[in-house]
Amino acid sequence: MPLMMLGEKKYYIGMFFKANWYKAEQYCRFHGMHLASINSGDEQKNLEEHIQSFGMGHEHFWTSGTDQAEEGKFFWMSTGKPMTYENWNAGEPNNFQYENGEQEHCLELWNRDGKGLRWNDTPCSFETFFVCEV
């Protein structure tokens, strides 16, 4: 698998198929990785620039961020640690509830308003691309 060293971390960008949050994590785990955590502005910038470098800056990408354990308390599933750095889109996280009752509990990178790949909470069942890290 083509891993990319960005700063002090190695990443794999899952861009060849879309998966829900659970399948994305399963894929990462099967290959000895986890969905990515983003712990600093530098990590965010490195990852965003890398994704934009191959023309996918407009897509959605799963990270390991979730508040499934307790609403509103996001942490990184990959490490179990609470978030110490945040980069949410304006008005996020908002735990929007859909007509079918599904709520938003998983963190994706998404360039919603042209300001870069910021964070958004979205239903874990949505299928999108993903970022794994070693």
Side-chain angles (χ1 to χ4, degrees), residues 77-93:
M77 182 64 84
S78 60
T79 63
K81 295 179 180 178
M83 295 179 176
T84 55
Y85 165 79
E86 295 181 344
N87 191 35
W88 295 100
N89 275 304
E92 302 293 345

Side-chain angles (χ1 to χ4, degrees), residues 55-98:
M56 293 189 74
H58 61 285
E59 295 290 350
H60 301 242
F61 291 87
W62 285 129
T63 70
S64 77
T66 184
D67 73 343
Q68 291 179 82
E70 184 178 349
E71 174 55 37
K73 303 222 176 188
F74 278 84
F75 69 98
W76 299 113
M77 182 64 84
S78 60
T79 63
K81 295 179 180 178
M83 295 179 176
T84 55
Y85 165 79
E86 295 181 344
N87 191 35
W88 295 100
N89 275 304
E92 302 293 345
N94 63 0
N95 195 33
F96 182 82
Q97 183 166 332
Y98 293 77

Side-chain angles (χ1 to χ4, degrees), residues 17-43:
F17 65 92
K18 293 181 178 183
N20 67 38
W21 190 83
Y22 308 100
K23 287 182 181 177
E25 174 64 8
Q26 179 186 17
Y27 181 88
C28 294
R29 293 298 302 137
F30 183 82
H31 294 283
M33 299 176 282
H34 282 285
L35 281 172
S37 60
I38 302 171
N39 299 304
S40 71
D42 285 342
E43 287 181 18

Side-chain angles (χ1 to χ4, degrees), residues 3-19:
L3 295 176
M4 175 61 68
M5 189 78 176
L6 300 173
E8 297 181 15
K9 288 186 175 180
K10 288 183 182 176
Y11 297 98
Y12 169 79
I13 308 298
M15 62 184 194
F16 299 109
F17 65 92
K18 293 181 178 183

